[in-house]
Amino acid sequence: MLVLSSPSGAGKTTLSRRLLEGDGAITLSVSATTRAKRPNEVEGRDYYFVTPEKFGDMVKAGDFLEHATVFEHQYGTPKQPVLTALGRGRDVLFDIDWQGTQQLKERAREDLVSVFVLPPTHEELERRLKARAQDSDEVVKKRMAKAASEISHWPEYDYVVVNDDLDRALFKVRAILEAERARRARLVGVSEFVATLVKTRITPS
Ligand code: ADP
Ligand code: 5GP
């Protein structure tokens, strides 16, 4: 389970999309949210857009792996698609905030790798929020006001990536993913594989 978090506008959605395009072994966890759909967003691809009532029902039914209130709206990770993907041996990518990351950590610390994405400067963060041109001025202001408190959670993450140049940041996220996939404890069937290697060496041909 790979988590990307950042203050809004730092570029984690852009990084996630690029990562998914170039890696066939990872699946994006699509969250449910009560916030309004942005003009360029697609139901089921970016989020499941639900009413607060429906969200409440899902919480009661235990449908979420984690859920939290962010910028006055509710966001949650539907449990079943994640369990299905993991059960098929796939990696799962989460674009969630620090509250959700903490909840996932409590449930599955050993299976979780977390990356905090930072913008190169405060000014660039504001420029990106405005350049996205998907939110009103008021929403941009609110998100900038919350940036400092979101950034304060960076020490809770395993890795920090500064998203200055997009290709460089993507390279780092891919490198983290590949290195974490190669961890001995995560390699399924490695003992059996090594046994075949040893046998090959001692069996005369
Ligand atoms: P987040 O998901 O963290 O809120 P987005 O991925 O939506 O952020 O990015 C916010 C805006 O910044 C988008 O318009 C995106 O195209 C732009 N952006 C992302 N990364 C970079 C980068 N490295 N350099 C310049 N612009 C970027
Ligand atoms: P946005 O409204 O810009 O898409 O997302 C706002 C914030 O909510 C981002 O920090 C994003 O990572 C976070 N977020 C999105 N989905 C979830 C989720 O399912 N759970 C939690 N905890 N945070 C989420």
Side-chain angles (χ1 to χ4, degrees):
M1 296 159 78
L2 179 70
V3 170
L4 291 185
S5 297
S6 78
S8 183
K12 65 192 168 310
T13 305
T14 310
L15 278 167
S16 301
R17 292 222 179 115
R18 293 279 300 273
L19 186 68
L20 289 159
E21 279 165 18
D23 191 318
I26 195 161
T27 301
L28 178 70
S29 162
V30 179
S31 298
T33 183
T34 60
R35 86 148 159 74
K37 189 157 83 67
R38 293 182 183 135
N40 68 341
E41 287 180 326
V42 176
E43 164 75 22
R45 183 194 70 178
D46 298 287
Y47 282 105
Y48 297 105
F49 296 94
V50 299
T51 61
E53 291 71 30
K54 167 86 180 156
F55 195 97
D57 289 346
M58 291 173 80
V59 171
K60 270 193 217 137
D63 289 347
F64 291 123
L65 212 47
E66 62 73 36
H67 62 94
T69 302
V70 190
F71 304 118
E72 299 155 17
H73 296 290
Q74 287 172 290
Y75 294 82
T77 300
K79 193 191 287 174
Q80 203 47 54
V82 174
L83 298 183
T84 303
L86 292 175
R88 291 187 180 145
R90 296 185 59 79
D91 294 328
V92 181
L93 177 65
F94 300 83
D95 171 343
I96 59 174
D97 84 329
W98 62 271
Q99 303 173 84
T101 308
Q102 280 186 358
Q103 293 173 46
L104 289 191
K105 247 194 212 172
E106 280 160 24
R107 296 181 85 129
R109 180 66 192 101
E110 293 305 312
D111 297 326
L112 190 79
V113 177
S114 59
V115 180
F116 201 82
V117 179
L118 288 172
T121 63
H122 184 83
E123 291 72 24
E124 176 62 10
L125 181 64
E126 187 162 14
R127 194 197 67 74
R128 286 184 193 172
L129 276 174
K130 287 181 179 159
R132 185 162 67 189
Q134 297 282 321
D135 295 312
S136 66
D137 288 352
E138 193 200 341
V139 168
V140 168
K141 259 192 207 150
K142 267 191 196 157
R143 290 186 172 218
M144 277 310 286
K146 287 272 298 230
S149 75
E150 286 181 58
I151 289 175
S152 73
H153 290 279
W154 72 269
E156 296 156 23
Y157 285 73
D158 299 320
Y159 296 92
V160 172
V161 169
V162 177
N163 180 19
D164 41 12
D165 174 74
L166 184 62
D167 286 334
R168 205 162 45 222
L170 183 65
F171 177 82
K172 287 182 186 169
V173 175
R174 284 196 175 130
I176 291 164
L177 179 58
E178 287 305 332
E180 291 288 346
R181 279 174 174 161
R183 273 191 189 274
R184 182 168 41 78
R186 290 208 178 100
L187 293 176
V188 176
V190 73
S191 308
E192 293 77 1
F193 171 63
V194 171
T196 67
L197 295 178
V198 175
K199 194 171 147 211
T200 306
R201 287 189 60 175
I202 57 170
T203 305
S205 58

